[in-house]
Amino acid sequence: MSWNDLVAHLSEIEILDGVGATLGWDEQTYMPKKAAGLRGSQMALLSRLSHERRTDARIGRWLEALDDKDPVQRACARNLGRVYRREQRVPAALVDKLARARSEGFAAWIDAKAASDWQRFLPSLRTLRDLTLERVRAIDPKRHPYEVLLEEYDPGTTVESLRAMFARLRDGLVPLIDAIAKQKQLAAIDAVVPLEAQWKLSSAVAAALGFDFEGGRLDRAEHPFSTGQGEGDVRITAHLKPSDLLGGLGGTIHETGHALYEQGLPFSLAGTTVKEAASYGLHESQSRFWENYVGRSRPFAIFLARTAKDVLGSECPAALADPDAIFRAQNRVERSLIRTQADEVTYNLHVIVRFEIELAIFEGSLALEDVPAAWNEKYQSYLGVTPPDTARGALQDVHWSSGAFGYFPSYTLGNLYAASFGKTMETAIPSLWSDAEKGDFSRPLAWLREHVHARGHLLETPELVRDAVGERDHVEDLLGYLWTRVGSLYGVSR
Ligand SMILES: [Zn+2]
């Protein structure tokens, strides 16, 4: 029975990876400083054990014996086949060279960013680009190189569909941002709230959204992240700052969205590859749906003001007790230089700049030495700002230093899918917003459980999304929602 053997084998890999996730979580939360060396050896052994199992020669035979008529086995053939072929076709020597180039690249990037000097990063980046191209050609010399890269994060998405969607999104966002920039700026909330009180509020909001505290944890860490170790264990972290309650809370809601996906996966299908999330873009759609579509809405602001008063008591600043003040502060739009600090409206332009540059690099139409100039030109033309130095320009993100080309689009894909999920739910759940005002989010969560979470990786993302929302125009859904919600706050219309 090769199917049962394969499932047992893959289940072991999942268990090893889950152990690694727990150790990784511990490293960023509670691990004593002196344990760093020990943890390094533990992680190295785990990843070797996992790698040995992933490259087991029997997998090829098991793959051939899968039953095409069974939907789970068919999905497994596709998911596992893709990963296995990639492992098989890339020579071990190239894997080693890439691993070395990544760690050297990271060190060079740290140094170059501190000095704001692209030239210092250029040799490492060139090596990473060349090795990546070599790897792409080994995997599939006939496909568009960028699509082979994209497949690692968002299998099923094509370069052509991205090119078309992102160009329309860019052309729709630029006039919205221009119109907003001419209006009076909305007020922020910068009241100082003690961290203990913020902590209570973050936990209360995560619980209200449906995070299962008996099947997960919420802890503090330097960086907010979420990690799923398996059934009954999904952990998220929050990073809170005294004068930025909404920012810290937004981060917690974002990670809660990721965690709700992980808590809703079809665990009965462990060891089949179908228990996994379908793509980075779909994962990001779950965090963005809760963080933005729900978390920046007016009904949510009403719920939040009430919860803040309840939880913070006398420590609750006046602005946080006022739904309108929260709603305005949550939807401020500002032309800015740094992607990770960007608001919801300008954010996608930051991503589109990176996508266009990566695409040009891998299509051979942009030389690496010309990246900072291309970057600045695009920032000026889409966002109306020019970075004063490369540290705040082309050197700001860590991604390229580890050769993670093709990763950025998943952020914007997530926003596009989230908008279509939201639009669909507004029709499917007539009480969506009146429930939200009351702090009841069970219906949208149930909708996502049914249409996204429980389906795991049975279908590729574009197909799964089509099943969930029908033939929708994601770009129009996102633009329409931003013009309506944010545009009306600023008094501009399409
Ligand atoms: Zn995320």
Side-chain angles (χ1 to χ4, degrees), residues 169-184 333-335 343 345-346 349 378-385 479 483 486-487 490-493:
L169 183 59
R170 178 197 62 204
D171 295 346
L173 285 173
V174 170
L176 171 59
I177 294 162
D178 282 346
I180 286 173
K182 295 192 187 91
Q183 301 299 110
K184 189 170 167 282
V333 177
E334 224 165 346
R335 299 173 186 273
D343 57 77
V345 179
T346 56
L349 290 174
K378 286 180 189 294
Y379 262 77
Q380 186 56 50
S381 112
Y382 306 162
L383 281 149
V385 289
L479 286 172
W483 270 103
V486 187
Y490 277 94
V492 298
S493 54

Side-chain angles (χ1 to χ4, degrees), residues 58-347:
R58 288 174 300 171
I59 292 180
R61 290 202 299 279
W62 283 330
L63 272 172
E64 279 167 30
L66 289 180
D67 177 2
D68 200 34
K69 285 185 272 310
D70 178 84
V72 172
Q73 292 196 33
R74 194 166 58 236
C76 180
R78 185 198 61 216
N79 299 340
L80 180 64
R82 175 171 50 238
V83 178
Y84 185 70
R85 272 193 306 278
R86 281 173 171 260
E87 304 261 8
Q88 291 292 305
R89 289 177 187 170
V90 182
L94 181 54
V95 174
D96 283 353
K97 272 195 242 169
L98 259 167
R100 215 168 322 122
R102 284 185 184 124
S103 59
E104 283 165 14
F106 182 70
W109 171 73
I110 294 275
D111 178 47
K113 190 178 176 186
S116 194
D117 182 358
W118 184 254
Q119 290 301 322
R120 289 201 200 184
F121 183 45
L122 200 50
S124 302
L125 184 63
R126 187 166 290 126
T127 306
L128 279 164
R129 193 261 328 256
D130 293 348
L131 293 174
T132 301
L133 264 176
E134 216 182 300
R135 182 166 163 273
V136 161
R137 289 195 193 107
I139 292 169
D140 192 343
K142 291 203 256 336
R143 269 173 85 189
H144 191 296
Y146 195 75
E147 202 161 286
V148 177
L149 295 171
L150 193 62
E151 195 184 58
E152 234 152 297
Y153 311 103
D154 272 87
T157 299
T158 63
V159 166
E160 281 325 303
S161 71
L162 273 191
R163 212 195 292 267
M165 282 196 294
F166 284 14
R168 280 178 55 222
L169 183 59
R170 178 197 62 204
D171 295 346
L173 285 173
V174 170
L176 171 59
I177 294 162
D178 282 346
I180 286 173
K182 295 192 187 91
Q183 301 299 110
K184 189 170 167 282
Q185 182 56 291
L186 303 175
I189 296 179
D190 46 17
V192 172
V193 180
L195 290 183
E196 276 315 310
Q198 288 197 34
W199 187 250
K200 279 190 233 154
L201 185 61
S202 273
S203 308
V205 169
L209 297 179
F211 182 75
D212 175 7
F213 278 90
E214 287 182 5
R217 292 184 57 90
L218 170 62
D219 292 86
R220 284 168 228 214
E222 248 330 286
H223 302 284
F225 66 94
S226 74
T227 169
Q229 357 281 91
E231 186 166 17
D233 196 356
V234 175
R235 305 182 184 202
I236 51 179
T237 63
H239 179 69
L240 307 175
K241 279 173 278 177
S243 63
D244 186 19
L245 180 134
L246 290 178
L249 183 68
T252 307
I253 298 174
H254 181 100
E255 300 308 332
T256 300
H258 282 304
L260 291 173
Y261 189 4
E262 293 283 326
Q263 288 184 329
L265 289 170
F267 291 104
S268 62
L269 295 173
T272 67
T273 74
V274 175
K275 190 209 72 183
E276 312 295 321
S279 67
Y280 282 52
L282 196 60
H283 226 307
E284 200 61 12
S285 77
Q286 299 306 292
S287 54
R288 301 297 172 127
F289 172 77
W290 294 104
E291 178 192 4
N292 293 337
Y293 206 88
V294 173
R296 296 181 200 279
S297 68
R298 194 168 186 284
F300 187 85
I302 295 171
F303 155 72
L304 183 59
R306 195 177 61 244
T307 312
K309 273 187 279 183
D310 287 352
V311 174
L312 306 180
S314 60
E315 287 175 315
C316 184
L320 272 177
D322 174 3
D324 288 313
I326 294 176
F327 186 41
R328 283 191 296 267
Q330 292 277 54
N331 290 286
R332 271 167 63 91
V333 177
E334 224 165 346
R335 299 173 186 273
S336 65
L337 296 166
I338 309 295
R339 175 184 61 86
T340 55
Q341 293 160 13
D343 57 77
E344 190 189 358
V345 179
T346 56
Y347 187 88

